[in-house]
Amino acid sequence: AQSVTQLGSHVSVSEGALVLLRCNYSSSVPPYLFWYVQYPNQGLQLLLKYTSAATLVKGINGFEAEFKKSETSFHLTKPSAHMSDAAEYFCAVSGPGGYNKLIFGAGTRLAVHP
Amino acid sequence: EADIYQTPRYLVIGTGKKITLECSQTMGHDKMYWYQQDPGMELHLIHYSYGVNSTEKGDLSSESTVSRIRTEHFPLTLESARPSHTSQYLCASSEDSRNYGYTFGSGTRLTVV
């Protein structure tokens, strides 16, 4: 069965520092993976997706993620954090059964301090 | 710009009232979903639909009901609201979740007093 584990429910970085949000997946089929961002009192917005093309995926707002099959990981990174990056981030994997459902991780709250 | 709309954005209502949360999308997506999210918590799938006249319960048991009479419309109803229903409700749609993921609405924050 498909599942996603996000390591660290809270991550705090300084403005300008590297952002690293961790996501490990379990999948019985080749995974399709996604990162979403949620700002306060908003819905989720797609940051980037991996759909079996390039293993390094670039998304919006300067974020990128690398698919590593050997480590079953899809970690999200950004070289330099901005205050506006403070939000909740969710990793998701496409579920079984006709590819119709996404399975979400528990989320990681990113705080950026001056 | 959002192509999926949820109304109302915020709702405060008394216990025992019947409420309907609206969700509409203009993208022609067959698949639609309702998630419940408590503050700072993970998403829980409560209902989904693969097309008109198709509805299924999700992973989290919910006292709410849904209907799908039109492709673009997927309302969620609570017959008798209780304080335990206080939460954020997120609606999403997809044509092909494997390749494109979901498009989410902005959510409805419900408070039952």
Side-chain angles (χ1 to χ4, degrees):
Chain A
Q2 273 74 356
S3 67
V4 168
T5 301
Q6 291 185 240
L7 299 175
S9 58
H10 291 82
V11 171
S12 181
V13 300
S14 299
E15 192 172 20
L18 171 72
V19 175
L20 171 61
L21 304 182
R22 299 178 186 274
C23 173
N24 287 89
Y25 69 89
S26 172
S27 178
S28 56
V29 296
Y32 284 36
L33 296 156
F34 304 83
W35 274 101
Y36 283 85
V37 60
Q38 184 182 31
Y39 299 103
N41 296 316
Q42 295 291 325
L44 278 68
Q45 179 184 3
L46 182 66
L47 268 179
L48 50 80
K49 60 184 179 183
Y50 167 76
T51 56
S52 77
T55 56
L56 182 62
V57 181
K58 294 186 184 298
I60 62 172
N61 301 338
F63 284 93
E64 62 181 38
E66 186 173 8
F67 172 71
K68 291 187 176 181
K69 184 177 179 180
S70 61
E71 298 177 7
T72 61
S73 69
F74 190 56
H75 301 331
L76 182 70
T77 60
K78 183 174 180 178
S80 176
H82 295 166
M83 298 294 289
S84 60
D85 294 327
E88 188 88 17
Y89 291 80
F90 291 90
C91 183
V93 63
S94 179
Y99 323 131
N100 288 321
K101 282 191 277 183
L102 295 184
I103 297 167
F104 289 88
T108 296
R109 181 167 299 275
L110 175 67
V112 182
H113 51 86
Chain B
E1 294 174 20
D3 296 310
I4 180 165
Y5 305 94
Q6 290 188 246
T7 57
R9 287 294 313 278
Y10 302 92
L11 178 62
V12 180
I13 201 163
T15 298
K17 299 292 187 182
K18 177 180 178 179
I19 59 171
T20 297
L21 307 185
E22 301 288 349
C23 177
S24 295
Q25 50 97 3
T26 59
M27 298 169 284
H29 288 170
D30 286 330
K31 303 165 190 66
M32 297 189 73
Y33 310 84
W34 276 104
Y35 284 85
Q36 185 174 340
Q37 183 185 33
D38 292 326
M41 302 292 283
E42 59 193 285
L43 299 158
H44 294 287
L45 179 67
I46 52 175
H47 298 283
Y48 60 99
S49 168
Y50 289 160
V52 171
N53 294 326
S54 154
T55 61
E56 301 286 344
K57 291 190 179 295
D59 306 319
L60 180 69
S61 176
S62 174
E63 294 167 347
S64 59
T65 59
V66 293
S67 62
R68 189 90 183 276
I69 300 172
R70 303 198 315 266
T71 297
E72 62 270 24
H73 195 212
F74 191 40
L76 181 145
T77 298
L78 278 165
E79 291 293 333
S80 179
R82 294 209 298 266
S84 60
H85 296 140
T86 294
S87 189
Q88 172 152 261
Y89 293 84
L90 294 169
C91 181
S93 73
S94 174
E95 185 56 42
D96 173 4
S97 62
R98 187 171 177 87
N99 286 296
Y100 303 108
Y102 294 169
T103 301
F104 280 87
S106 296
T108 293
R109 183 164 295 283
L110 172 66
T111 302
V112 184
V113 297

